[in-house]
Structures are given as structure tokens and as C-alpha cells.
Amino acid sequence: MSAFDPAVFLPDDLLERIRERAPIHDRENTFPQQDLDELRAAGYLSILVPTDRGGAGLGLAEAAVLQQRLASAAPATALAINMHLVWTGVAKVFSDRGVAGLEFVQDGAAAGEVFAFGISEGGNDLVLFGSDTDAVPTADGGYAFTGTKIFTSLAPVWTKLGLHGLDTTSADAPKLVFAFVERTDAVVTGDDWDTLGMRATQSRTTRLSSAPAAAEHVVRRIDPGPNPDPIVFGIFSVFEILLASVYTGLARRALDLAVETAHRRRSKSTGAAYSQDPDIRWRIADMGLAYDALPPQIQALARDVDERVDHGARWFTLLSGLKHRAITTAKRIVDEAMLVAGGGSYFSSNELSRLYRDVLAGAFHPSDPESAHATAASAWLGPRET
């Protein structure tokens, strides 16, 4: 088997075009349509789809490397694409484990369809374990969904929205229902994405009014609450690993910019480059030491998912911990890079200014710091006494 070459799937010239467009989309608060078009043409939307279904047949470990690479050029584009890759990644988790039900996602991705992630709801800290969206069974075996989803990335372009809702009316209710809906008049996308950072993701609010999911697009019906079902593991594992990858790629770009700045800037008092200043050297060394810990962690856990390693109950603290460390480390690296670059980085035209704003979004993605710490505490100390 030949060695994996990220440049085959994300060529340097494509990355540079995406990098050049990133500040424009951030400044104008627009979706990176041209990025999506070029990535689709390059087969990027189907990197996790098996070759026998028209994809590249990559594993999650390779996709994580590619997402780091893409995020180093345009974090918001990478984060938007992440949400599509989550569903193709869950489909891979299913097929690798002999679970049927998401083949249509693989076929759709290979054909150029765009899948969006409609799980987040305002005030719903249960996330995957509960939903405020009503899922009402229909006579044809499908479901009609009514509710509001927030942070729906890829809002202007998705062709199918993967979501969940709560069925409270069936004989075996309550059941959490995971399904996919298409764009119809029953799905209204808001124009409310005006944020501090990650602006190009266009993660707008989505309102559902009896939005229909066909029977063949109803993927799972499971009990609410913590659940070992493949849909829960699939979403949580792929989401956390790819999310950590995006912010790790962002951190790498900030580190590279700090290094470039240190070589370029010179001290007025000594005439020497900043790269020779002991304080600057220590600061960049500290950034490098922090960054170097992230890619191996991502690679190890992604490989474990690909190879179906059984971590049992430890999976959830390993995954939430990975995401938490990636976000906090990326934030720290960007902070340090801003200090190395000096006052010029404070201007919105400076790339570091955009990275600084983009990295702040990491705290809002599941698992948040509170959830990550609660999960880790339970893993090490056992559940809290009631």
C-alpha cells in the first residue's frame, strides 16, 4: 500500500486559492461557494466514502490530517466542510461495523451532495441524548420534524440535513429519532449569521415545520439518554476528532505566522531579528511544544476508531478530552502568536486577527469545558452521589 500523501487530495495550489479567499469571506460575511465547488471537484466531499461506492476510501485518521491542512488555509471553510464529513464519517463507522442504514449518505456524497449537521438546539445541554424538536411518525413510515436547530453550518448549500428529534407519541415512546430531511418549504433557513469569527461557515438558524423525512432516510430510533448505539458513538467520535483537527490546523497556522514574523521583524535597538531575542525564542518554543502534542493524539484516537479498538466507557472521556485539549491549546497558541507579532496583529486586515476571532468559536462546540470535565471526573472518580 502506498504512503498517504495529503497533497494528492489537497494540492498546494488549491490551498493557496482557498487561503486567498478566506479574508474576503470573513470581511463580507459570505459563504465560500468557490471553495466548496473546487473541493467537490477534487473529490474532497467523498474522501471517507469507500472506493466501491465512488469515494477515496480514506480512513478517519487520513481525513483528520487533511482537515488540519485545510484549516491552516481557511479555518471557517474547514469547519463548514467538517459538518459534511461528520455524516460521511458516521456512515463509515456504520459500514466498518456491519451496520446498515447510511449507504445513501455515501452514495450521495460521491455524487456531490452536501450533508449538514442539525443537532444543536438552543438551551439543550443534553445534545445527542435528548431533543426539543418534535418527531411525529407519518403514515408512510417516515417522520415529520418540528423545531429549531441552531449553528447549522453550510446553511446556504446543503442538500440533506441530518438531525434528531423526540418521538413522544409512538407505542414505544419516548424515542430519539435520527433522520435526514431535504430542502422543502417546511424548512426555513434564517439570515442571522453575524458573528465575531468563523463567519464563512454561515451556520444559520434552521426552523422546521413538519419537515418530512422519508422512511428510507430514518436512520435510528433509540432511547433518550446515554446510549451505546452506533449512531451516538459514530457522531461523537467523528465530530470530536474532526473538530480537534480543525483547531489544530488553525493553531499550526498561527505558529507558522509567528515564526515568519520573528524572522522578518528586527529590533530597532540591536538590529537583530526577533528570532534572536531570548524572550521571543522562549515564547515560540513554548508554542511549538504545545502544538507538537496535538497531531499524535488526534492520529492515535482516529486510528482506534478506524481499527475498531474497544475502549469501552473510556471512549467518551478520551474523545471529549481530545477536543478540550485541542481547543484550549489552539487558543493559547494564537494568544502567544499575537504577542510575538505585536500591535500589527490587532488590525482586522492581519491574518492573526482572523485566527484570533476564529479560535474563540471552539469553546461553543460540544463537548464544552464543563461537559468534558464532568465526563473525566466520572471516569476517574465514579459518578456523583445522589
Side-chain angles (χ1 to χ4, degrees), residues 309-326:
V309 173
D310 183 10
H311 287 296
R314 285 278 292 156
W315 262 121
F316 290 95
T317 190
L318 291 172
L319 292 163
S320 61
L322 174 68
K323 181 267 178 180
H324 176 73
R325 287 189 297 276

Side-chain angles (χ1 to χ4, degrees), residues 68 247-249 251-253 255-256 259 283-300 322 325-326 329-330 332-333:
Q68 291 172 56
Y247 287 94
T248 295
R252 176 55 187 263
R253 179 59 177 170
L255 175 55
D256 287 344
V259 170
R283 197 178 293 280
I284 288 179
D286 198 48
M287 294 162 63
L289 290 169
Y291 167 78
D292 281 343
L294 292 179
Q297 294 178 56
I298 294 172
Q299 191 71 187
L322 174 68
R325 287 189 297 276
T329 301
R332 175 177 146 207
I333 288 173

Side-chain angles (χ1 to χ4, degrees), residues 16 19 68 71-73 75 248-260 291 333 337 351-352 354-355:
E16 282 309 307
R19 189 190 309 281
Q68 291 172 56
S72 71
T248 295
L250 187 158
R252 176 55 187 263
R253 179 59 177 170
L255 175 55
D256 287 344
L257 289 172
V259 170
E260 291 174 11
Y291 167 78
I333 288 173
E351 185 176 355
L352 275 172
R354 174 164 49 83
L355 297 183

Side-chain angles (χ1 to χ4, degrees), residues 15-345:
L15 277 183
E16 282 309 307
R17 291 194 297 274
I18 290 174
R19 189 190 309 281
E20 290 171 3
R21 292 190 288 258
I24 300 171
H25 293 299
D26 179 74
R27 182 173 62 251
E28 298 178 356
N29 193 20
T30 52
F31 181 78
Q33 182 66 53
Q34 198 169 353
D35 293 358
L36 175 63
D37 291 343
E38 290 200 61
L39 289 167
R40 181 194 278 120
Y44 198 81
L45 299 186
S46 58
I47 55 174
L48 286 168
V49 175
T51 54
D52 62 2
R53 303 197 84 96
L58 299 185
L60 185 58
E62 289 79 21
V65 171
L66 289 172
Q67 281 298 90
Q68 291 172 56
R69 182 170 164 83
L70 180 57
S72 71
T77 293
L79 187 62
I81 296 297
N82 238 34
M83 302 310 165
H84 168 88
L85 293 179
V86 166
W87 284 124
T88 60
V90 176
K92 176 175 168 54
V93 167
F94 272 37
S95 61
D96 285 350
R97 288 156 179 79
V99 180
L102 284 173
E103 292 81 3
F104 71 91
V105 169
Q106 295 175 327
D107 294 339
E113 285 203 75
V114 179
F115 294 87
F117 194 70
I119 298 295
S120 295
E121 299 168 342
N124 179 16
D125 58 357
L126 293 173
V127 194
L128 285 176
F129 301 149
S131 177
D132 293 328
T133 297
D134 291 327
V136 178
T138 55
D140 59 0
Y143 271 87
F145 291 86
T146 299
T148 300
K149 302 292 185 177
I150 61 173
F151 296 134
T152 313
S153 300
L154 300 165
V157 297
W158 61 261
T159 58
K160 285 188 176 65
L161 177 66
L163 76 172
H164 71 341
L166 188 64
D167 175 357
T168 60
T169 61
S170 293
D172 59 351
K175 290 289 184 181
L176 272 178
V177 182
F178 291 82
F180 287 78
V181 302
E182 300 188 19
R183 285 190 185 272
T184 66
D185 292 342
V187 181
V188 176
T189 298
D191 187 13
D192 57 352
W193 190 245
D194 187 11
T195 51
L196 181 64
M198 290 294 184
R199 305 182 79 208
T201 63
Q202 290 302 302
S203 307
R204 305 172 186 175
T205 300
T206 303
R207 294 178 176 83
L208 310 158
S209 300
S210 296
E216 62 270 23
H217 293 158
V218 176
V219 180
R220 305 296 274 186
R221 296 177 73 254
I222 64 174
D223 293 332
N227 197 305
D229 192 271
I231 191 72
V232 174
F233 174 76
I235 292 174
F236 195 74
S237 60
V238 178
F239 187 92
E240 298 291 80
I241 288 170
L242 292 184
L243 195 70
S245 300
V246 167
Y247 287 94
T248 295
L250 187 158
R252 176 55 187 263
R253 179 59 177 170
L255 175 55
D256 287 344
L257 289 172
V259 170
E260 291 174 11
T261 301
H263 283 302
R264 186 180 67 251
R265 295 183 69 193
R266 290 189 169 273
S267 167
K268 289 292 184 182
S269 59
T270 67
Y274 273 36
S275 60
Q276 303 308 304
D277 182 283
D279 292 330
I280 297 294
R281 292 178 68 84
W282 183 91
R283 197 178 293 280
I284 288 179
D286 198 48
M287 294 162 63
L289 290 169
Y291 167 78
D292 281 343
L294 292 179
Q297 294 178 56
I298 294 172
Q299 191 71 187
L301 277 186
R303 288 279 181 213
D304 283 356
V305 174
D306 286 336
E307 295 172 5
R308 301 183 287 287
V309 173
D310 183 10
H311 287 296
R314 285 278 292 156
W315 262 121
F316 290 95
T317 190
L318 291 172
L319 292 163
S320 61
L322 174 68
K323 181 267 178 180
H324 176 73
R325 287 189 297 276
I327 298 303
T328 56
T329 301
K331 175 65 167 58
R332 175 177 146 207
I333 288 173
V334 176
D335 283 345
E336 295 292 330
M338 296 280 284
L339 293 175
V340 170
S345 62

